[in-house]
Amino acid sequence: MPVPADIAAQVDALRARIEHHNRRYHELDDPEISDADYDALVRELRTLEDEFPEVVTPDSPTQRVGSAPSSLFAPVVHRQPMMSLDNAFSDEELAAWGARLARRLAAGRHDGSAGPAEDGDDADAADEGVGDGLGLTFVCELKIDGVAVSIRYEDGRYVQAATRGDGRVGEDITPNIATLATVPDRLPDGAPAVVEVRGEVYMPVAAFEALNERQAAAEARLFVNPRNSAAGSLRQKDSAITASRDLAWWSYQLGEVEGGPAFTRHSETLAWLGELGLPVNPEIRTVASLDEVQEYCRRWEASRHDLPYEIDGVVVKVDDLATREQLGFTSKAPRWAIAYKFPPEERTTTLRAISVSIGRTGKATPFAELEPVFVGGSTVALATLHNEDQVKAKDVRPGDTVVVRKAGDVIPEVVRPVLADRPEGRPEWTFPRACPVCGEPLRRLEGEAATYCVNLGCPARRATAIEHFASRGALDIEGFGEQTVRSFLDLGLLEDIADLYDLDFERIQSLEGFGETSVQNLRAAIEASKDRPLANLLVGLNIAHLGGAGSQLLARHFGHLDALMAASEDEIAAVAGVGPIIAESVHGFFADEANRALVERLRAAGVNFEGPAAPALAQTLAGMSVVVTGTLAGFSRDGAEEAITARGGKSPGSVSKKTTAVVVGESPGASKLTKAEELGIPVLDEAAFVRLLDEGELPG
Ligand code: IVH
């Protein structure tokens, strides 16, 4: 039967989405959706493939494991492939797995064949009673939410560790795993010639929280969840970083062994691994029926958050090794094991109010104030609603009963309203027109999801705006950091950036921590800041979307702040390298009365408004080759190339082995992306591109 065109299209679209999320998860360690949502996509694809087997291709995400290894690490060919597991999401699916086992084993006995049967015949499982009638023992293990790794010992010495990669070839992370305190570097005397052990590297919840506190203090990117931070910590070129991350290890499967004892049961292999000093999870149980398996699953679903590490399900394995042999593998997973995945935890609560907070750049973010509710291991009272469109799409209204869950098991998320509980006539929520902090109008830029308070004098933005103004890339006022800004603000010594040029130094000298010399130094530093080039001043004004590169272009083109202020939006947009988003933002900024008044005070203080452009840019991209595909928000195509070449990099039109990174905007070219993936070249979003331009570093 030919496959209907709409089904083929649906399959293609699903595969593309799954591939995208695979890359976010496996390569970028930066998932966009929760594991449960990812699993739902894969299930949808599998259902279609089951119904229309003609659409199944060998490279379908349902037929493959993980993701190709990255070129950052040397490849390791696994001597025994590292397989994935099939999932069960309910008791019924667990029972269906039991039924498949029963059917296969019965068939095997019947025709006497013990070998693994061919793929693809698992779908039509018999539905008759299973459970205790099976006569099998199962090992129930916690499904640790970490990163699968294979560790190899030769003659009792630790010699190699590798990630799973695509199951066949993984990445060599030997020095990184060597830093794990719980992974021994030697096995006891008399250990066999080769022992390969598979297991999970994970980050305990406490270590994850401490790490994110450190990240926050360093203003570095926060990790989404412990799994993600374990993955990020492993994929480091510098193993000292891995060493600082408190990772731990559970062994759960024996790989290749040479010269070891003969085993008949999986449970014996685990006990033996324990004797060798390799950590084995203490909650593992051997049970005699599927009913007991279900009991184990129930128990851990209820108490998963009592553990000091995260689990996302239970792995059930047939204990008897001869039976395993008989059951064999599909292309992707053993038939003798199944992962029972916990459903994401969802709770309902009352949405008390939707409020708006004003961030550092003036961005106005709506968030839900919830009747506190315990979900996913912690109490949730606030959840971001991201932006105006998200609130509209979810149609949540103050007073609603709402469903709340943890996205990626960490970030609280309002999923949807419970419409049945909504009384008639409850009004829709509308985005406030005025900033809740300063009362000035909020502005949403065309084509953008975010809304901004553009008033530079807004108290919510004040401290960060001043810090930014004084920072190195802007007016570079030495010795005027966060602490000083905050204490001056608290003491009423200044309110906005122009006040910097009218400080009461006598009063400052009387403050604790300020001697005569330090006041003199500060005075000199403030004086010197008046002479910075126009580009630096533009950076310092903290205009949404305008960074260092855009400021340079504007300064070079207009030469004087007055010329820029007099320019129309179109004139600004016409500057090579400046996109319409920057143009609208810059024009809107200078149209604002309060901002113009501030500029006049800077002029009166003697701050330089003229070019020339700042000295040549730091050559952060020397020797690099960066390919751009798709439309970026803050750069035109030429602008992006110019930004790369101005920093010493090359920006060719196609991806090759020599490409350092591929930057992806809206609607990227599929061939460039595929090529980048094939070659394992890092793929960057716009934010990472901007960081690359500034710092010359790829996200690690
Ligand atoms: S057994 C061939 N046991 O789950 C057997 N896997 O979804 C392969 N995992 O890649 C794995 N805890 O990263 C096994 N007790 C456990 C596990 C476990 C976590 C992970 C592992 C695997 C993934 C499959």
Side-chain angles (χ1 to χ4, degrees):
M1 187 183 72
V3 180
D6 58 330
I7 297 291
Q10 215 176 325
V11 165
D12 281 350
L14 270 171
R15 284 185 186 149
R17 280 174 72 188
I18 293 168
E19 292 296 353
H20 169 82
H21 293 301
N22 269 344
R23 201 160 52 78
R24 302 285 317 190
Y25 186 95
H26 289 288
E27 285 169 46
L28 305 176
D29 298 328
D30 190 14
E32 286 172 344
I33 58 172
S34 69
D35 291 358
D37 289 344
Y38 173 84
D39 288 338
L41 288 177
V42 175
R43 274 152 70 81
E44 204 179 324
L45 175 59
R46 184 162 295 139
T47 308
L48 286 173
E49 289 182 343
D50 284 348
E51 201 173 332
F52 302 96
E54 303 88 329
V55 300
V56 180
T57 54
D59 65 347
S60 172
T62 57
Q63 310 296 308
R64 286 181 302 127
V65 170
S67 165
S70 135
S71 56
L72 272 182
F73 299 91
V76 173
V77 178
H78 297 301
R79 274 165 253 225
Q80 285 179 9
M82 283 183 82
M83 302 207 101
S84 174
L85 292 174
D86 284 335
N87 294 323
F89 294 91
S90 62
D91 283 351
E92 291 70 44
E93 290 183 9
L94 201 56
W97 174 66
R100 290 201 294 278
L101 294 185
R103 202 165 51 86
R104 245 172 208 287
L105 293 171
R109 274 195 293 276
H110 224 55
D111 65 21
S113 82
E118 66 288 355
D119 282 349
D121 52 353
D122 284 349
D124 54 335
D127 267 335
E128 69 256 24
V130 286
D132 299 356
L134 267 176
L136 289 172
T137 41
F138 297 101
V139 177
C140 296
E141 303 176 5
L142 299 179
K143 186 168 187 304
I144 314 296
D145 203 4
V147 182
V149 168
S150 183
I151 301 181
R152 189 176 172 88
Y153 291 89
E154 287 175 8
D155 298 324
R157 283 165 203 271
Y158 171 87
V159 292
Q160 191 174 60
T163 63
R164 186 170 71 173
D166 62 7
R168 198 181 61 82
V169 185
E171 298 154 324
D172 188 338
I173 50 166
T174 309
N176 300 8
I177 293 295
T179 70
L180 268 65
T182 52
V183 172
D185 58 356
R186 290 227 173 190
L187 300 182
D189 284 348
V194 174
V195 178
E196 213 169 79
V197 56
R198 266 104 199 244
E200 202 85 350
V201 171
Y202 65 96
M203 187 177 282
V205 176
F208 163 71
E209 282 168 358
L211 170 62
N212 260 356
E213 269 168 36
R214 293 202 300 273
Q215 293 284 106
E219 295 190 3
R221 192 174 71 130
L222 296 188
F223 291 100
V224 207
N225 56 33
R227 192 217 81 88
N228 200 241
S229 30
S233 304
L234 278 187
R235 301 176 93 244
Q236 295 287 339
K237 282 308 259 178
D238 178 2
S239 62
I241 299 181
T242 314
S244 73
R245 294 284 173 83
D246 280 333
L247 297 170
W249 168 261
W250 291 131
S251 320
Y252 51 60
Q253 196 64 45
L254 204 54
E256 192 186 18
V257 178
E258 253 177 58
F263 298 107
T264 54
R265 299 190 161 272
H266 174 62
S267 46
E268 290 167 1
T269 66
L270 293 179
W272 183 68
L273 288 171
E275 282 162 24
L276 292 181
L278 288 155
V280 178
N281 189 284
E283 312 301 347
I284 294 177
R285 296 286 179 274
T286 305
V287 302
S289 70
L290 274 187
D291 287 346
E292 285 175 74
V293 168
Q294 283 177 6
E295 242 168 71
Y296 185 92
C297 294
R298 278 303 80 69
R299 168 167 170 231
W300 285 108
E301 201 171 320
S303 36
R304 59 189 290 197
H305 297 297
D306 299 344
L307 293 163
Y309 46 85
E310 295 220 313
I311 59 172
D312 60 344
V314 166
V315 180
V316 187
K317 298 174 181 171
V318 169
D319 193 23
D320 184 66
L321 299 181
T323 311
R324 282 191 181 191
E325 189 108 339
Q326 213 178 324
L327 289 164
F329 299 84
T330 66
S331 60
K332 192 180 164 178
R335 292 199 180 86
W336 42 259
I338 191 125
Y340 173 84
K341 289 271 203 98
F342 297 145
E345 287 183 303
E346 290 191 340
R347 294 277 180 282
T348 55
T349 187
T350 307
L351 176 61
R352 285 180 177 162
I354 299 177
S355 303
V356 167
S357 70
I358 307 294
R360 185 168 79 79
T361 56
K363 190 164 170 181
T365 307
F367 63 95
E369 293 188 40
L370 302 161
E371 188 71 43
V373 58
F374 192 77
V375 55
S378 68
T379 302
V380 173
L382 299 175
T384 178
L385 291 165
H386 303 287
N387 56 46
E388 185 174 8
D389 295 347
Q390 288 277 324
V391 183
K392 278 223 174 79
K394 287 185 174 159
D395 185 26
V396 283
R397 306 178 186 189
D400 276 352
T401 303
V402 291
V403 175
V404 176
R405 72 161 174 232
K406 292 270 185 79
D409 277 341
V410 173
I411 302 160
E413 179 185 37
V414 175
V415 188
R416 60 176 178 275
V418 179
L419 291 175
D421 285 1
R422 180 187 284 171
E424 210 151 298
R426 175 169 288 158
E428 232 177 88
W429 182 78
T430 50
F431 210 93
R433 286 166 178 275
C435 169
V437 182
C438 71
E440 292 282 313
L442 290 175
R443 186 173 304 142
R444 180 168 173 182
L445 303 180
E446 184 127 1
E448 257 212 75
T451 306
Y452 288 89
C453 170
V454 293
N455 170 20
L456 252 201
C458 175
R461 312 178 49 180
R462 220 172 256 165
T464 41
I466 299 172
E467 278 159 40
H468 180 76
F469 185 80
S471 68
R472 189 142 342 123
L475 295 218
D476 194 9
I477 306 180
E478 220 184 299
F480 202 66
E482 187 182 327
Q483 300 259 320
T484 320
V485 173
R486 307 232 165 204
S487 73
F488 281 20
L489 270 171
D490 288 347
L491 294 165
L493 279 160
L494 86 179
E495 285 194 345
D496 59 29
I497 53 176
D499 289 340
L500 266 169
Y501 299 103
D502 194 18
L503 282 174
D504 182 349
F505 287 105
E506 259 175 44
R507 217 183 126 201
I508 293 171
Q509 198 163 327
S510 69
L511 298 177
E512 214 186 289
F514 276 93
E516 210 179 308
T517 328
S518 54
V519 170
Q520 262 172 18
N521 288 344
L522 180 60
R523 212 177 190 146
I526 291 176
E527 218 29 58
S529 75
K530 291 181 182 171
D531 299 330
R532 307 277 177 247
L534 173 59
N536 295 53
L537 175 61
L538 288 174
V539 170
L541 290 176
N542 223 344
I543 303 173
H545 303 294
L546 184 66
S551 297
Q552 298 276 1
L553 295 170
L554 291 178
R556 225 177 290 158
H557 182 89
F558 290 100
H560 196 285
L561 187 59
D562 286 337
L564 173 60
M565 282 169 65
S568 68
E569 195 176 315
D570 287 347
E571 282 165 342
I572 301 175
V575 177
V578 175
I581 290 178
I582 295 185
E584 192 192 348
S585 175
V586 170
H587 187 260
F589 179 87
F590 290 117
D592 189 285
E593 205 58 55
N595 294 337
R596 289 185 88 95
L598 194 79
V599 167
E600 287 318 312
R601 286 169 56 214
L602 293 174
R603 189 199 305 270
V607 172
N608 172 52
F609 279 13
E610 270 180 62
L617 291 171
Q619 298 295 291
T620 43
L621 303 191
M624 295 193 197
S625 166
V626 181
V627 175
V628 180
T629 172
T631 315
L632 300 174
F635 300 83
S636 64
R637 174 53 57 91
D638 289 347
E641 280 178 22
E642 198 177 310
I644 293 163
T645 47
R647 288 167 177 76
K650 285 203 192 100
S651 183
S654 61
V655 178
S656 74
K657 270 201 310 239
K658 292 192 192 128
T659 308
T660 316
V662 176
V663 177
V664 181
E666 282 287 304
S667 330
S671 65
K672 285 185 187 155
L673 260 187
T674 320
K675 193 83 191 275
E677 266 165 33
E678 269 170 30
L679 297 170
I681 292 165
V683 174
L684 311 184
D685 62 9
E686 186 161 349
F689 175 50
V690 171
R691 271 197 301 278
L692 176 68
L693 291 175
D694 285 348
E695 290 153 26
E697 274 178 31
L698 292 167

